[in-house]
Amino acid sequence: MTSPEIAVAGPVPVGSVAPDFDLRDQNNRRVSLSGLREKGDVLVVFFPLAFTGTCEGELGHIRDNLPRFADDTLTTVAVSVGPPPTHKVWSSAQGYLFPILSDFWPHGDVARSFGVLDERRGYANRGTFLVGRDGLVRYAAMVGPGEARTEETWTAALATRS
């Protein structure tokens, strides 16, 4: 649950159609949710900002356990309002081999469509969504910027794979 001072709509509910997106990754390549879904399920991980400790820890967890988060039928992407050049430097330094997507412009539109944009602060809360190949949200959770996702969040999200 978010604190009252954080202005967000709330995460897209389980069972609803996930909003499609088309964003640039850290290598400036276009990545769409619909294109990723052709391969299988997609874990969409929103994070506030690059170069911050909690974000590095969470994405480092994905990096260190990549076989759990990416295989022939699952793709994991991380999304933040930062621009692709920032994500390029950060992902290279941290060894992130999964797409880090830029929701830079229009600023925060994808986070807003998923219901996780903190309008007052201008960046996403920590939203976690498992989107099935059929485009339906199978898992949705959100915690605020100061809170880290727990192992239970990752386990619960991955348990909903189709």
Side-chain angles (χ1 to χ4, degrees), residues 48-70:
L49 297 167
F51 296 102
T52 60
T54 303
C55 297
E56 278 185 18
E58 289 183 332
L59 298 190
H61 178 78
I62 294 170
R63 176 199 61 217
D64 296 346
N65 297 279
L66 198 54
R68 186 173 166 211
F69 291 93

Side-chain angles (χ1 to χ4, degrees), residues 7-65:
V8 293
V12 171
V14 170
S16 62
V17 175
D20 198 14
F21 56 75
D22 187 344
L23 299 172
R24 294 202 178 269
D25 71 5
Q26 68 266 41
N27 298 307
N28 211 33
R29 292 182 295 227
R30 297 201 80 78
V31 175
S32 70
L33 180 58
S34 56
L36 294 172
R37 285 189 7 250
E38 290 176 8
K39 178 181 169 186
D41 297 335
V42 182
L43 182 65
V44 182
V45 178
F46 288 91
F47 66 97
L49 297 167
F51 296 102
T52 60
T54 303
C55 297
E56 278 185 18
E58 289 183 332
L59 298 190
H61 178 78
I62 294 170
R63 176 199 61 217
D64 296 346
N65 297 279

